[in-house]
Amino acid sequence: MRAPRRVVIVGASLAGLHAARTLRGEGFDGELTLVGEEPHPPYDRPPLSKQVLLGGGEAPDTTLPFTDIPDVVHRFGAPAVRLDPVARTVTLADGGELPWDGLVIATGARARPFPAPRTSPRPVATLRGRDDARALGAALLPGRHVLVIGAGFLGGEIAAAARARDCRVTLVEAAEQPLVRAVGAVAGAFVAGLHREAGVDLRTGTTVTDLRAGPGAGEGFRVTLSDGTTSVADTVVAALGAVPATEWLTDSGLDVTGPGGGVRCDPFLRALRPDGTVVPGVTAAGDVARAPHPLADGAPVLIGHWSNAVEQAAVAVHTLLHPGEPRPYDAVPSFWADLYGVRLRSVGLPARADEVRVVENDPVARRLEVTHHRAGRPVGALTAGRAARLAAHRRELEERRGAPVPAVTGGG
């Protein structure tokens, strides 16, 4: 197994950019190409649902530094359309073909679209990229009615930004509480209280049954809900989660068909075939990587958080540069969200829990601390207004990462 001399990174995302910086930082002096689907240089995504929406689509530039990485060929606005792991080439939409002997797949994820009926000639908005954020931010005008489908973390932040812009907001959630699948019913009820206190019309246990839009941009959407009510919204936003961007890998021989999608990887972030063997020279990182994690008892999981993209990129690069001595990805994931002046912070994999324990729940003081457990063992924790307490939970989860890691097998 030899270290590569030509590395292609597909995805000019946070993970892709960090992979490029790590390669040069670890002394890789070979050919390095960074491929990006969007014409924009790499940018940070968390501010899109915060500063950009609050700024009406105009906010401080979210571009990430990238010109400091030496000798990188940038192919922005040239999405990859095909991977041939045998010939070791990546084909781009413009017809270009990039040879490689080391590949990092960091294509991230796309917003899950709302299945708009034929009666709606205009698409429902989503928020994933910079252009989405600017368009949505410009639509959040005072007095306008914004209907958000999905009360997860992203949907919640969109609703909060719209309320801060003096919009009327209806937030529709199919589950009985926001975020119940992600962090449990107690945290969900706490978040529901924040929404309602801010004046959001939160409809839980409710779905959109019909949606119609006039042909003109100013005619709004007529939305019918499963509770039998109908309203007219100026803007409808679907915040229904994300889908890993793997369509360009359909004929590649990589395993991209598992639960939730994504590129299935081994603990060292090497891409796998459906039979579980390693695809030589190919790693994945970020939202697109479905990899085993000790907090999931070694089950492959998708982790769509900022910190995960950075940490996985470093592991993927180490695996490429040191194929004989890779290290597993076992960092404790973390994420945050801002709702109405309250910062929610979480560590671990709370969605894996079968039990939630309440340490503190004070909606009046806007404070919450819950821990998540599976088979009696900690797998996550969440706080609101108690950020200082999260460090102890992180340490406990780091001690929990003692699951054995399989030996290195297959090609490098």
Side-chain angles (χ1 to χ4, degrees):
M1 294 184 286
R2 296 179 298 176
R5 297 304 306 156
R6 294 181 299 187
V7 173
V8 172
I9 302 170
V10 183
S13 56
L14 178 66
L17 182 65
H18 193 72
R21 180 170 282 111
T22 304
L23 279 160
R24 290 303 191 216
E26 291 200 9
F28 175 73
D29 59 1
E31 297 177 20
L32 179 57
T33 304
L34 179 62
V35 176
E37 178 181 33
E38 295 182 80
H40 313 298
Y43 57 88
D44 207 12
R45 292 186 187 275
L48 299 183
S49 58
K50 303 175 178 69
Q51 292 98 312
V52 176
L53 293 190
L54 290 172
E58 297 298 329
D61 190 7
T62 61
T63 301
L64 294 166
F66 71 97
T67 56
D68 61 314
I69 308 173
D71 301 321
V72 180
V73 177
H74 304 112
R75 298 295 297 271
F76 301 145
V81 296
R82 185 172 183 270
L83 168 65
D84 187 335
V86 177
R88 293 196 165 192
T89 58
V90 170
T91 303
L92 306 181
D94 62 9
E97 192 171 82
L98 301 176
W100 53 268
D101 50 19
L103 178 69
V104 180
I105 298 173
T107 43
R110 307 189 192 287
R112 188 183 302 277
F114 178 76
R118 294 178 213 164
T119 50
S120 176
R122 284 187 286 124
V124 169
T126 56
L127 177 57
R128 185 69 190 177
R130 192 169 76 176
D131 293 340
D132 298 334
R134 287 178 170 171
L136 180 56
L140 300 183
L141 300 177
R144 301 193 79 182
H145 181 200
V146 179
L147 186 140
V148 183
I149 308 170
F153 285 106
L154 179 60
E157 287 197 329
I158 294 170
R163 284 298 299 136
R165 300 282 306 282
D166 291 326
C167 296
R168 294 187 300 115
V169 178
T170 301
L171 182 57
V172 180
E173 170 57 45
E176 292 306 312
Q177 295 287 3
L179 300 166
V180 66
R181 289 182 291 273
V183 292
V186 173
F190 181 89
V191 169
L194 294 178
H195 286 306
R196 291 186 169 120
E197 180 185 355
V200 171
D201 180 7
L202 174 63
R203 310 284 188 94
T204 57
T206 305
T207 59
V208 174
T209 57
D210 189 44
L211 185 150
R212 301 167 186 263
E219 295 189 30
F221 294 83
R222 185 176 180 83
V223 185
T224 303
L225 304 179
S226 59
D227 61 11
T229 61
T230 300
S231 64
V232 175
D234 298 289
T235 300
V236 176
V237 189
L240 301 173
V243 181
T246 58
E247 62 280 353
W248 67 287
L249 298 171
T250 301
D251 299 320
S252 67
L254 276 63
D255 186 354
V256 294
T257 61
V263 177
R264 185 163 73 98
C265 301
D266 70 3
F268 314 105
L269 301 183
R270 300 179 300 180
L272 300 177
R273 303 183 182 94
D275 63 3
T277 57
V278 170
V279 181
V282 181
T283 60
D287 296 2
V288 76
R290 183 164 52 92
H293 197 283
L295 293 177
D297 296 322
V301 292
L302 289 160
I303 305 173
H305 304 319
W306 192 97
S307 63
N308 174 72
V310 172
E311 291 155 348
Q312 282 195 340
V315 172
V317 165
H318 182 88
T319 295
L320 284 182
L321 296 184
H322 308 281
E325 48 185 40
R327 63 171 184 251
Y329 171 69
D330 62 359
V332 174
S334 63
F335 67 91
W336 75 96
D338 295 317
L339 296 176
Y340 315 105
V342 177
R343 172 154 289 192
L344 302 172
R345 300 191 63 179
S346 179
V347 291
L349 300 176
R352 298 282 302 176
D354 57 20
E355 178 190 5
V356 178
R357 300 175 188 174
V358 180
V359 179
E360 180 181 16
N361 185 6
D362 188 345
V364 175
R366 306 177 111 195
R367 291 174 179 169
L368 177 71
E369 181 179 3
V370 295
T371 59
H372 301 86
H373 304 261
R374 185 177 181 88
R377 297 182 297 177
V379 293
L382 179 142
T383 64
R386 290 294 193 189
R389 296 187 180 180
L390 214 60
H393 295 302
R394 177 184 285 277
R395 287 193 297 270
E396 184 178 23
L397 293 173
E398 288 172 343
E399 295 169 358
R400 159 93 165 78
R401 298 176 302 181
V405 175
V408 178
T409 59

